[in-house]
Amino acid sequence: MRISLNWLRELVEIKLSPEELAETLTMAGFEVEEIEDRRTWANGVVIGKVLERQPHPNADKLSVCQVDIGAGETLNIVCGAANVKADIYVPVATTGTYLPNIDLKIKPAKLRGVPSQGMICSLKELGLPTDVDGIHIFTQENLPLGSDVRPLLGLDDVILDLTATANRADALSMVGVAREVAALTGGKLSIPEPGEVSITKSARNLALKIADTQACPAYIGTVIEQVKIAPSPEWLQQRLRAAGVRPISNVVDITNYVLLEWGQPLHAFDRDRLQSVAGSENLTIGVRFATAGESLKTLDGQTRTLSTQNLLITANDKPVALAGVMGGEETEVHAGTQSLVLEAALFDSVAIRRSSRSVGLRSEASGRYERGVNRAELEIANRRALSLISELASGILVQQEIADTRPDPSTWSRSIALRLDRVNQILGPVDLGEDTGELQGQDVERILTALGCQLTSSEKDTNHQPTWSVSVPPYRYRDLEREIDLIEEIARLYGYNKFCDTLPEKAEAGYLPLDEELIRKLRAFLRAEGLTELIHYSLVKPGEDRNIVLSNPLFVEYSALRTDLISGLIDAFQYNLEQGNGALNGFEIGQIFWQEEDGLQETEALAGIVGGDISVGKWSKSGREEPITWFEAKGILESVFRQLALQVEFQPDRRDDRLHPGRTASLWIRGNRLGIFGQLHPQLRREKGLPDSVYVFQLDLDVLLESQGQDEILVPTFQPYSTYPASDRDIAFFAPVKISVTEIQKVITKAGKDLLESVELFDEYRGENVPEGQRSLAFRLIYRASDRTLTEAEVEPVHNKVREALVEKFGVNLRS
C-alpha cells in the first residue's frame, strides 16, 4: 500500500524523517519497498504568469511567451503547447532546474533563433498522471508569483510503498498504519471521528433482502438525492494520486478515499439505473449466490459468466454487482447521475476469495475482504462517506436501511491470559548495553496499551511473576488470538534488534543421528546393487483395506493415504514400460499409514521392485534380454543384508494375494517379522501388462534399524582368518519337497557346531529315479579350525552327526 506522509501526518504525530520512519516500520514487520520522494520532482519549479503570448516567427507550432515569476524582470520562454495563452498561471522550471522524471536539466537555449530562459511545464513532465495534452494551468486566482509549486500539486510529499503481512488486514488503511506508527513512535493519534448524519425520511422505496447472512453479516444501504457529479477538490485528487488511484468524480473518489482511509470497501450505485434494471421504482437490494449460467458485465467492460461460487448484489433479484469484488457497468455512477444508493457491507472472506478466483478478478475491495474487514468500524466508515458526499456533492440523505446479523458487540473483542514469565522464556534476555536483562512488567503494559489493548492485572503465577488479562481491540481481533501472538507483538514493538543473540560457548563437531547414518548406508548399498531411488506421493486413490481418507482432499485421485509402498512401485514399473523406458529396478523409503482399532498408525517402510535384465552387456547373449530369476532377485536383498551384517531368515508365505503363492517369502530377524519378498502374481502381471519375472519386497524400516542398532553389529568383533586348510565333505539325499532348504541348513549348522564353517547347496534334481513328492539335494560342507589342520578322525564324527540329525529330523534318504 502506498502511504502519503502528508496524509499520515494528519492522522498521527510524526517526528521522524521519512528514512527513519521507513526503517522503524521495516524493523516492525512492515517492509517498506520504496521511498518515493516527490519533493525532488519539481525542485526549482515556481509559479509564473503568462503576460503575453506571440506566435514564433520561424515555427508554426511554437509560441513565444513573456512570463512573470516575480523576479523583477519577465522571462522569454518558447513553448510548444497548444493551450498556452495570456493571463494564466503556470508552473515554470527556471534555468538550472533538473526534472528527474524526464531526465532534463533546464539551460538557456535558442529555439529556432529565439532565446528561451526556462520551460513552462506539463503535469507529465513533473511526474504526475494527467489526461490533458499540454501545459498545466492553475485554476486558482491571484497566486503568489515565484512561489514553490509543490504544495499546489501535492509534490511536497513523500510516499512509502509499504507491504503488510497477510495477517495484518488492519494495515491496509491509513488509519491502521497511523495506529501502528503511534504504537511504534509514541506519536499522538488524531483519527477523524465523523459525526452523526441526518437522514430526511422523504423516501421509503428501498428494502434489503439478504439471502445468506453468513456470507453477508451486515449491509447498509443509503439513498442519496440531489447529487451533483463534478470533479473532486484538489486535495482529494492529490491524496488519491499519491495512493496510486486515478480520480474520476467526486462520488467515486469519496468511496475510494474512505477505502484507503478506513479499509472499508464501499460502492455507489446510480439509483435511477438500479430502478431501470429492477423494472420498478420500489427497489429491493439483495445479496445471494449466483445460479450457474448467469452473467454480469462488470465495470472493466467484461461480461463474466457466473457460477454458484459468485456472491451477487441484486436489484429485485437481477444481478447488478459482484459482491465485494466489482460493481456492474449497467448501474455505475456517471456524469448525469442525480441520486445514489451507497452500499457499505461486510462480506465473508472465504466467500469473496472463492468468488474472486472463479472469475479471475482481483480488486482493491476483494483484497481487503479476503484478509478480513474490521466489522466494528463499518458504521464509522459509512458515516465518513455520507458526510463527504453531503459536503462535496451536495447530496441529501433520504433513506437508510440496515440488515445486521453480526454477533453482539461484546464478542468483538477477546481476553487473553499473558504471563511475564512466559514472555521472557520465549524472547530471552534483552541487550542493555554493557549488561543483559529481562523485559519488565511496565514494558509489556506500555507496548500492549500502545497497540490499543486493555490490560487487567491478575494474580501472580507460581514464580511470583505478573500475569495479565489482555483485552484485544476489535481491529486486531483476527490476528491476536493466543498468548504467543501477544508475545510476538511485544517483541516486534520492543525491537527484535534489542534482544540478545548468543552462540554456543564451545563449538561442537556435527554428527548424524544413528538412524540417519544407517539409512544413508542402506541407500548406498541398494544403489550399489543397481537400484534407483524413487519417490512417490503419500496420497493415493481410496478403496484399500484400512485406508485413512482425507476430509478435505484436493482431488479424488489423492484423497487417501497409502497403506504400503508396493502398489506405487508396481504402477511406476508399468508406467516406465508404457513410456518405452524398459523395466524398472528401483527402491523407495517412505511413510505408510493405516487404521487400527485403537487409532491411526504410521511407520516408515523400505520397498523395492526388480524386473529388468541386470547383466552389464548383452553381446554375449546375441542381444537377448534374460529376465532376472527368483534367486538373483533374492540375492540382491541377501547382498544388502550381508553388508549390513544381518542374519535374515526366509520363510514361505501366502498372505499377500498380489504375489505368487509359491514364490513368496516372509523375512524374519531374531523372531521379528522384517517384511516380505516375492514374485508378482501371474494374474496381476497379465492385468498390468508386465514381464514374466517381476519381484517386489517391502521391509519394516523400524525393525531393520533396531536390528542394526545391536552392539555386535555397530562394533563388530575382529576375527582373524584361519591359516589352516579346510576339509570338504559333500552330502546328498532325497528329501520331501515340502521341507525348505532353509530348514535343512539350520539343522546342518546346529549339528556341525564350531568346526562347520559353511554350508552351500550346489545341486537340486527332480525327475527320473527320484521318489514322487521328493527331490534330490546335494550340499557341500566345509570344516575348518583356526588353530590346526583337521584330521579325518576329527571331521568324520562331526559329519556323521550331521547325517544322523538329518535322518532323525526329516527322515531323509541318504545317497552319500
Side-chain angles (χ1 to χ4, degrees):
M1 181 172 174
R2 291 168 59 86
I3 305 298
S4 161
L5 286 194
N6 283 353
W7 189 357
L8 190 62
R9 284 191 179 97
E10 292 187 9
L11 302 176
V12 63
E13 179 187 18
I14 299 176
K15 297 179 180 179
L16 303 177
S17 68
E19 291 73 20
E20 290 170 338
L21 180 61
E23 175 68 16
T24 300
L25 288 168
T26 299
M27 290 302 295
F30 295 91
E31 183 180 356
V32 176
E33 297 184 353
E34 182 185 3
I35 301 176
E36 183 181 279
D37 192 346
R38 294 187 163 204
R39 297 171 300 185
T40 63
W41 294 3
N43 188 15
V45 181
V46 298
I47 297 172
K49 184 177 181 180
V50 179
L51 302 178
E52 183 182 348
R53 178 255 173 196
Q54 296 292 335
H56 195 288
N58 301 319
D60 294 338
K61 294 184 179 181
L62 297 180
S63 303
V64 179
C65 303
Q66 300 299 316
V67 182
D68 183 4
I69 61 168
E73 65 179 57
T74 59
L75 300 179
N76 194 76
I77 298 178
V78 177
C79 180
N83 62 337
V84 66
K85 58 185 178 181
D87 296 325
I88 58 174
Y89 291 92
V90 293
V92 179
T94 56
T95 302
T97 298
Y98 175 66
L99 301 177
N101 287 286
I102 57 174
D103 191 22
L104 175 66
K105 186 170 184 178
I106 307 301
K107 300 177 181 178
K110 279 190 176 183
L111 297 177
R112 297 286 183 96
V114 177
S116 183
Q117 299 166 307
M119 185 174 80
I120 303 175
C121 300
S122 68
L123 289 183
K124 288 182 180 178
E125 289 163 340
L126 300 179
L128 296 174
T130 180
D131 297 329
V132 177
D133 187 15
I135 61 170
H136 178 66
I137 301 174
F138 291 108
T139 57
Q140 299 92 330
E141 296 293 333
N142 300 320
L143 294 175
L145 299 180
S147 60
D148 197 339
V149 301
R150 289 178 290 187
L152 287 175
L153 298 176
L155 292 178
D156 57 339
D157 198 2
V158 178
I159 309 299
L160 303 184
D161 193 351
L162 183 145
T163 300
T165 51
N167 63 313
R168 293 301 302 274
D170 62 296
L172 292 178
S173 66
M174 292 298 298
V175 169
V177 174
R179 286 173 175 149
E180 190 68 24
V181 171
L184 288 167
T185 65
K188 181 182 177 182
L189 280 173
S190 304
I191 295 175
E193 280 289 341
E196 294 295 332
V197 290
S198 59
I199 299 174
T200 306
K201 302 288 184 179
S202 63
R204 301 299 300 169
N205 58 356
L206 177 67
L208 301 180
K209 182 183 178 182
I210 311 301
D212 193 321
T213 56
Q214 182 177 351
C216 178
Y219 192 100
I220 304 175
T222 308
V223 180
I224 309 167
E225 294 183 347
Q226 299 181 31
V227 173
K228 296 179 182 177
I229 302 298
S232 299
E234 192 63 30
W235 67 266
L236 180 53
Q237 292 192 38
Q238 286 179 10
R239 288 190 176 177
L240 294 180
R241 289 193 191 100
V245 178
R246 180 173 62 90
I248 298 174
S249 67
N250 49 7
V251 170
V252 177
D253 292 352
I254 287 167
T255 60
N256 287 330
Y257 180 79
V258 175
L259 168 74
L260 295 170
E261 186 176 63
W262 288 95
Q264 171 63 56
L266 305 170
H267 185 67
F269 296 97
D270 183 301
R271 188 186 66 170
D272 296 330
R273 290 184 169 186
L274 278 178
Q275 291 173 336
S276 175
V277 171
S280 171
E281 288 191 1
N282 293 320
L283 273 176
T284 299
I285 299 293
V287 180
R288 64 170 173 83
F289 283 98
T291 57
E294 281 188 291
S295 63
L296 174 69
K297 191 173 186 180
T298 47
L299 287 173
D300 56 2
Q302 294 192 33
T303 301
R304 302 181 184 275
T305 303
L306 308 177
S307 69
T308 54
Q309 290 186 326
N310 296 119
L311 191 65
L312 293 178
I313 307 298
T314 61
N316 293 7
D317 208 41
K318 295 181 180 177
V320 292
L322 269 178
V325 182
M326 187 174 283
E329 186 180 88
E330 200 172 359
T331 57
E332 72 174 320
V333 173
H334 59 102
T337 295
Q338 295 180 345
S339 59
L340 307 171
V341 174
L342 182 68
E343 167 190 291
L346 296 176
F347 298 114
D348 177 61
S349 58
V350 174
I352 299 304
R353 185 180 301 114
R354 289 174 177 169
S355 176
S356 174
R357 286 184 179 180
S358 68
V359 293
L361 177 62
R362 281 184 60 85
S363 63
E364 291 287 336
S366 68
R368 285 165 172 80
Y369 277 124
E370 287 177 18
R371 294 194 184 194
V373 171
N374 178 17
R375 58 187 174 185
E377 292 173 344
L378 173 65
E379 286 83 1
I380 295 176
N382 186 53
R383 288 200 308 270
R384 176 71 162 151
L386 292 176
S387 63
L388 286 172
I389 290 174
S390 299
E391 178 187 346
L392 303 180
S394 305
I396 298 175
L397 283 54
V398 298
Q399 185 184 357
Q400 186 173 89
E401 298 296 326
I402 301 175
D404 191 356
T405 58
R406 287 173 291 180
D408 188 86
S410 62
T411 65
W412 297 355
S413 181
R414 65 164 58 90
S415 292
I416 303 171
L418 177 65
R419 301 159 291 173
L420 180 61
D421 190 42
R422 183 62 174 163
V423 172
N424 285 310
Q425 182 184 5
I426 294 290
L427 300 181
V430 294
D431 189 353
L432 300 177
E434 296 181 358
D435 201 0
T436 60
E438 291 185 334
L439 285 174
Q440 302 300 312
Q442 58 265 31
D443 296 323
V444 172
E445 293 175 354
R446 172 180 55 80
I447 290 169
L448 294 181
T449 301
L451 285 172
C453 299
Q454 295 180 355
L455 282 75
T456 305
S457 294
S458 304
E459 294 182 5
K460 294 189 176 183
D461 60 16
T462 54
N463 296 325
H464 305 288
Q465 292 285 321
T467 62
W468 300 272
S469 175
V470 181
S471 179
V472 175
Y475 53 84
R476 296 298 302 276
Y477 183 87
R478 286 181 174 269
D479 68 305
L480 297 184
E481 298 178 327
R482 301 173 296 158
E483 183 183 38
I484 194 66
D485 297 328
L486 296 177
I487 295 173
E488 179 187 5
E489 291 299 288
I490 293 167
R492 198 171 59 81
L493 269 74
Y494 189 80
Y496 291 121
N497 54 331
K498 295 180 181 178
F499 290 91
C500 297
D501 50 347
T502 57
L503 294 173
E505 293 182 1
K506 184 179 179 181
E508 295 183 5
Y511 64 92
L512 288 174
L514 178 60
D515 283 359
E516 179 62 31
E517 190 172 351
L518 294 176
I519 288 175
R520 291 193 179 191
K521 287 175 60 179
L522 182 60
R523 281 192 167 102
F525 294 151
L526 289 165
R527 288 197 299 267
E529 294 296 326
L531 304 187
T532 300
E533 183 167 6
L534 313 173
I535 299 176
H536 291 98
Y537 290 125
S538 297
L539 299 172
V540 295
K541 287 184 179 179
E544 297 183 16
D545 187 32
R546 299 190 296 172
N547 248 163
I548 298 173
V549 181
L550 302 184
S551 59
N552 59 338
L554 291 173
F555 305 102
V556 176
E557 292 80 1
Y558 301 112
S559 59
L561 296 173
R562 60 187 177 186
T563 56
D564 74 349
L565 302 180
I566 291 178
S567 297
L569 293 175
I570 294 173
D571 291 341
F573 195 99
Q574 179 187 12
Y575 179 79
N576 273 269
L577 278 180
E578 292 171 349
Q579 298 301 311
N581 294 332
L584 173 69
N585 295 340
F587 73 95
E588 179 174 8
I589 297 175
Q591 303 293 123
I592 59 175
F593 315 83
W594 70 95
Q595 289 190 16
E596 295 282 6
E597 292 181 0
D598 56 346
L600 307 181
Q601 302 293 324
E602 174 184 357
T603 191
E604 199 166 15
L606 162 67
I609 190 164
V610 181
D613 190 340
I614 60 172
S615 58
V616 176
K618 299 180 178 58
W619 62 270
S620 61
K621 297 176 286 185
S622 302
R624 295 189 305 274
E625 283 204 6
E626 293 185 4
I628 188 172
T629 66
W630 195 91
F631 295 102
E632 288 173 322
K634 175 172 173 278
I636 291 175
L637 270 182
E638 288 180 323
S639 174
V640 172
F641 294 149
R642 187 166 55 252
Q643 293 179 82
L644 295 172
L646 294 177
Q647 297 292 327
V648 178
E649 186 178 335
F650 289 72
Q651 295 289 348
D653 194 288
R654 293 171 174 263
R655 282 181 283 184
D656 195 329
D657 57 8
R658 295 172 299 181
L659 304 181
H660 195 299
R663 297 179 184 174
T664 301
S666 57
L667 282 59
W668 300 81
I669 299 178
R670 296 191 180 96
N672 295 320
R673 182 181 170 89
L674 174 62
I676 194 167
F677 166 77
Q679 184 176 342
L680 288 186
H681 197 286
Q683 182 177 350
L684 176 62
R685 181 183 58 76
R686 284 193 296 271
E687 290 173 0
K688 297 282 187 179
L690 304 182
D692 292 344
S693 302
V694 178
Y695 306 90
V696 295
F697 62 87
Q698 181 167 299
L699 311 179
D700 188 326
L701 203 59
D702 289 339
V703 174
L704 188 66
L705 295 178
E706 186 178 340
S707 302
Q708 274 279 283
Q710 303 294 327
D711 289 342
E712 60 268 26
I713 295 177
L714 291 175
V715 186
T717 304
F718 175 72
Q719 293 181 335
Y721 290 103
S722 174
T723 58
Y724 298 93
S727 179
D728 297 357
R729 295 288 188 276
D730 291 348
I731 184 170
F733 50 83
F734 297 126
V737 174
K738 64 181 181 180
I739 300 173
S740 68
V741 171
T742 298
E743 295 176 274
I744 296 172
Q745 284 180 324
K746 286 172 68 176
V747 170
I748 294 174
T749 302
K750 185 177 180 180
K753 291 187 178 177
D754 297 335
L755 289 185
L756 184 62
E757 184 179 71
S758 66
V759 181
E760 180 185 358
L761 174 71
F762 67 86
D763 183 56
E764 179 198 29
Y765 175 72
R766 305 184 196 191
E768 190 176 353
N769 300 325
V770 177
E772 188 175 348
Q774 296 193 345
R775 56 179 172 170
S776 173
L777 297 174
F779 290 85
R780 176 158 298 146
L781 284 63
I782 299 178
Y783 299 95
R784 192 194 300 265
S786 61
D787 56 349
R788 65 190 185 281
T789 301
L790 294 177
T791 64
E792 190 73 19
E794 289 177 296
V795 173
E796 198 59 34
V798 178
H799 193 61
N800 286 334
K801 192 178 292 186
V802 170
R803 294 159 61 91
E804 292 168 2
L806 290 172
V807 173
E808 180 182 347
K809 182 72 175 177
F810 303 116
V812 302
N813 185 6
L814 294 169
R815 298 194 298 114
S816 62

